[in-house]
Amino acid sequence: MTIALARPKLGVTLYSFTPYFHGRQYSFWELIRIVGERGLGPGLEVVGFQSIRGFPRLPDGFATQFRNAVQSAGLELSALGANADAGLHPDRLLDDDELEAYMLAQLETAHALGFPTVRVQYSVTPDLMERLLPHAERLDVVLGMEIHAPHSVHHPDMLALLERYEKLGSPHLGFIPDWGSSLTRVPPSMLATYRDLGLSDELLEHFEEQWKEFHRGPIVQNDDDQIAQLVRMAELGREFDGGDLAQNLLMQGVGLFGHQKPEDWKPFLPWAVHVHGKFYDIDADGNEPSIPHDIVLRDLVEAGYTRYISTEWEGWHWNTKDDPFDMVAKQQSLARRTLDSLVRS
């Protein structure tokens, strides 16, 4: 018998529907409406620069229109995806003062729209996070550092940030685990798609074996480790003369699929303020073959996590056959089924 201490809430990020948005099949407002109609909320996550023209500046009347659309759809705001790109200039990186101002503008927009949590990225160092903390407290938003492949909880940057969080002890600081950091295998649909597109079985077999070799090896600790993996994958593509198509496959294998063990999230979960429920496939049995939901959801429940999990389908990078709305619905069905088994007493 399993007795649960908590139950996370489910929702979705509009990033899951990127092909529809970029292809102009649905507008931003239509996506919000359909998410509500199809019961894919109640949590709604939005990526600022992807979804809002001129972000972080808001068009006149946008905030009111947005709040009304969210309310009409029966949704609740979960997180706003901010951009912490320090490389905005081609010849130099932003200094801390510039990056602080850049992030502050996005925090103010999150507050204006009503988002409780803001996703930040690894360009925000522990020192900069501490500088942003008074702004977050004033605006009453929570800063969540996304831990995204190829980073993991073992990366020195994340460990340094955890140490700073423990020192500051503020509820306005936390992490956003992204399950793409903790795959157990290459998504089967990816291999099938690239095979259909013309890559040889030999190349695909060597790619999968190379990925497994990385998986068995030491965790990526720094940028040099990631570069070494990228170089090896590029060599593999040239070895089998796969061209640009092979390079797409091989680079995605490093940038999207992390090698952290799923159970290794545990030490960071007390600081989790939002979760990206990343997934790629749902098989015929209704399971995700690359991301063991029984483990990641069990550990969230046992950690007492009650905030949102945003379903984030990233299989659209190669899978153009399945409907993103259907894929999100299938993953949420898996999540609900798994959570039901965990909370049953």
Side-chain angles (χ1 to χ4, degrees):
M1 181 182 298
T2 301
I3 300 175
L5 301 177
R7 185 177 179 119
K9 295 177 287 187
L10 300 181
V12 68
T13 170
L14 293 190
Y15 181 72
S16 297
F17 313 117
T18 294
Y20 282 161
F21 187 59
H22 284 179
R24 300 181 183 274
Q25 290 174 262
Y26 297 99
S27 71
F28 175 65
W29 307 108
E30 288 170 331
L31 289 176
I32 294 174
R33 174 179 57 79
I34 294 170
V35 164
E37 288 175 350
R38 295 199 54 162
L40 303 178
L44 180 69
E45 180 178 354
V46 172
V47 180
F49 279 99
Q50 180 188 47
S51 302
I52 304 170
R53 188 182 298 277
F55 183 86
R57 185 183 60 81
L58 297 176
D60 291 342
F62 181 92
T64 299
Q65 184 182 4
F66 177 68
R67 288 174 182 267
N68 289 340
V70 172
Q71 184 177 19
S72 296
L75 302 174
E76 301 174 3
L77 298 180
S78 60
L80 177 69
N83 179 47
D85 186 1
L88 294 177
H89 301 296
D91 56 337
R92 67 177 181 85
L93 297 177
L94 298 181
D95 64 30
D96 278 358
D97 289 340
E98 292 171 316
L99 196 50
E100 179 183 0
Y102 183 60
M103 297 306 302
L104 174 57
Q106 297 176 71
L107 299 187
E108 290 173 337
T109 296
H111 173 75
L113 293 175
F115 284 97
T117 302
V118 178
R119 184 281 314 269
V120 299
Q121 298 161 313
Y122 68 91
S123 292
V124 178
T125 63
D127 287 345
L128 184 54
M129 191 70 88
E130 187 167 348
R131 289 174 62 164
L132 289 171
L133 177 57
H135 301 305
E137 292 173 337
R138 173 175 57 84
L139 296 167
D140 195 24
V141 295
V142 177
L143 301 176
M145 172 62 71
E146 182 181 20
I147 305 179
H148 186 288
H151 289 110
S152 73
V153 296
H154 306 290
H155 195 284
D157 291 352
M158 300 306 156
L159 292 171
L161 201 54
L162 177 60
E163 182 179 2
R164 187 66 60 92
Y165 284 175
E166 291 172 341
K167 174 186 174 184
L168 295 171
S170 173
H172 289 273
L173 299 174
F175 289 101
I176 299 179
D178 183 296
W179 292 345
S181 287
S182 54
L183 267 69
T184 56
R185 61 180 291 192
V186 174
S189 69
M190 184 189 207
L191 298 172
T193 297
Y194 278 93
R195 181 176 289 109
D196 290 344
L197 290 172
L199 290 185
S200 69
D201 286 341
E202 188 178 16
L203 171 56
L204 292 171
E205 288 167 7
H206 278 79
F207 161 69
E208 190 170 18
E209 182 52 43
Q210 182 62 70
W211 191 87
K212 290 177 180 177
E213 185 177 323
F214 291 153
H215 197 67
R216 291 189 292 264
I219 292 289
V220 170
Q221 293 291 337
N222 51 48
D223 292 341
D224 289 341
D225 292 342
Q226 181 188 0
I227 291 170
Q229 290 191 2
L230 290 168
V231 168
R232 175 62 194 122
M233 286 297 196
E235 290 172 348
L236 193 61
R238 289 191 294 271
E239 228 175 284
F240 290 91
D241 195 24
D244 290 342
L245 186 61
Q247 292 304 318
N248 288 340
L249 166 78
L250 298 164
M251 296 306 102
Q252 287 172 347
V254 175
L256 296 182
F257 310 144
H259 300 286
Q260 173 193 305
K261 293 179 180 178
E263 57 269 29
D264 286 357
W265 290 113
K266 281 185 180 181
F268 279 64
L269 294 183
W271 289 94
V273 296
H274 188 66
V275 172
H276 281 162
K278 180 70 60 62
F279 80 107
Y280 303 96
D281 292 340
I282 299 294
D283 64 22
D285 295 323
N287 295 313
E288 218 296 351
S290 302
I291 300 171
H293 280 50
D294 55 339
I295 295 175
V296 291
L297 288 172
R298 177 204 66 197
D299 291 344
L300 282 171
V301 166
E302 291 182 355
Y305 180 80
T306 58
R307 298 179 189 239
Y308 276 107
I309 300 171
S310 275
T311 295
E312 186 176 28
W313 185 53
E314 207 162 23
W316 58 260
H317 280 291
W318 56 83
N319 182 348
T320 59
K321 297 177 181 178
D322 288 313
D323 175 71
F325 295 115
D326 289 344
M327 293 300 292
V328 168
K330 288 178 181 179
Q331 191 271 353
Q332 290 188 348
S333 177
L334 167 60
R336 280 192 293 271
R337 189 169 69 248
T338 306
L339 287 170
D340 285 347
S341 71
L342 291 167
V343 302
R344 192 177 298 121
S345 59

